[in-house]
Amino acid sequence: MKTSNPVLARLGQAAERERSAGYAPPGQYGYGQPGIPQQHPGQPGYPVAPAAGTMTIDDVVVKTVALLGILGVSAAAAWVLVPDSLIYTAWIGAAIVGVVLGLIISFSRIANPALVVAYAVVEGAFVGLVSKAYETAYEGIVLQAVVATFGVFFVMAMLYKAKVIRATPKFVKGMIAVMAGLFAVMLINFVLAVFFDINTGLRDGSPLAIGFSLVCIVVASLSFVLSFKEVEDGVRMGLPQRYSWTAAFGIVVSLVWLYLELLRLISYFQGDD
């Protein structure tokens, strides 16, 4: 099955290689079916099957919930254990490590559950520290952002299921280009702000900052469509079960990004009192 997602295509190739490690049980790939000559292991052309179970939507749901649970525990631990005097330093460190792990996972040719779990732990610490800082400044803002985040997620899930929004090849390519551009802008802004103390106006509550956050929120919301499409294609391609961790990782990344952008946007309208 063809897919417009280059990462998924690589995973599909890896899954195809894995199929060469096992044999098909009766009833699969035509073996053992009426009217089809039966073959036996070792014979030329004998069909092969995955060495492990294939990925399902239920697998992705379970892994996503598990990662969110790990992320939540890590966030709570960071909130409680990291002293206020070290929040900023730990915040920056967790952000850098999280970006590095995220890039490794995204461009890896294999599914690595250990790396995905490590990302959830590190990103949880980052989210917890950011949330604590915002909650200290604006009481109740974290709950508002969490509710809004999952509200958007479920709306996008319903729109995708109803086929109101479809992940066409043009949509996928456009989204990848836009997300890459936004990531580059945010990375440059981060470096300028942290290491050179330069304010670009993208994160200071100005009209420009509000507009930029709105763009990020729209793109983060639409990124769920890519994740849903990735899950569907992965199931159809028969990827091994462990690749459900990679699919769950994509959903968690979008949720975290959307949450942080909503948190920031809400803070712009809280006022100084």
Side-chain angles (χ1 to χ4, degrees):
M1 177 179 180
K2 295 183 178 180
T3 174
S4 56
N5 189 319
V7 176
L8 197 60
R10 291 199 299 269
L11 297 183
Q13 293 170 2
E16 193 64 33
R17 288 194 296 271
E18 289 184 9
R19 291 191 179 97
S20 64
Y23 296 110
Q28 285 192 320
Y29 308 99
Y31 176 62
Q33 294 180 10
I36 298 180
Q38 295 190 7
Q39 296 173 302
H40 300 282
Q43 290 183 338
Y46 181 76
V48 296
T54 55
M55 166 181 156
T56 66
I57 293 178
D58 287 343
D59 290 331
V60 178
V61 172
V62 170
K63 300 300 190 303
T64 302
V65 172
L67 289 178
L68 289 176
I70 294 170
L71 190 148
V73 171
S74 179
W79 186 311
V80 173
L81 299 177
V82 177
D84 293 346
S85 59
L86 296 178
I87 283 183
Y88 186 71
T89 302
W91 175 342
I92 299 301
I96 294 174
V97 175
V99 168
V100 172
L101 286 175
L103 290 175
I104 292 174
I105 295 169
S106 298
F107 292 100
S108 176
R109 292 179 178 271
I110 61 173
N112 193 322
L115 276 182
V116 175
V117 171
Y119 171 84
V121 173
V122 173
E123 198 68 7
F126 171 67
V127 169
L129 295 173
V130 172
S131 299
K132 183 177 181 180
Y134 274 92
E135 185 68 19
T136 300
Y138 312 105
E139 185 177 356
I141 191 174
V142 169
L143 180 59
Q144 295 175 47
V146 168
V147 172
T149 298
F150 284 100
V152 171
F153 173 77
F154 288 119
V155 167
M156 294 305 299
M158 288 188 292
L159 291 176
Y160 184 82
K161 185 175 181 180
K163 301 186 183 302
V164 175
I165 301 178
R166 299 189 180 189
T168 63
K170 288 185 178 180
F171 177 87
V172 173
K173 291 179 181 178
M175 281 294 297
I176 292 175
V178 171
M179 288 191 295
L182 284 177
F183 176 78
V185 170
M186 288 188 287
L187 182 60
I188 293 172
N189 183 73
F190 175 80
V191 171
L192 292 176
V194 173
F195 298 104
F196 300 97
D197 196 25
I198 297 176
N199 179 19
T200 62
L202 291 180
R203 298 302 197 183
D204 61 0
S206 64
L208 175 62
I210 293 174
F212 184 73
S213 285
L214 288 172
V215 170
C216 289
I217 288 170
V218 170
V219 175
S221 301
L222 291 174
S223 70
F224 289 124
V225 176
L226 300 185
S227 296
F228 299 151
K229 177 63 173 174
E230 182 180 18
V231 172
E232 280 191 346
D233 286 350
V235 171
R236 290 190 185 121
M237 293 170 67
L239 295 184
Q241 196 172 45
R242 71 172 183 276
Y243 286 99
S244 58
W245 285 103
T246 304
F249 161 77
I251 295 174
V252 170
V253 169
S254 294
L255 282 170
V256 170
W257 182 20
L258 179 60
Y259 167 74
L260 293 174
E261 291 298 338
L262 285 168
L263 193 65
R264 190 183 298 274
L265 181 64
I266 295 171
S267 73
Y268 293 155
F269 300 98
Q270 294 298 304
D272 300 323
D273 36 70

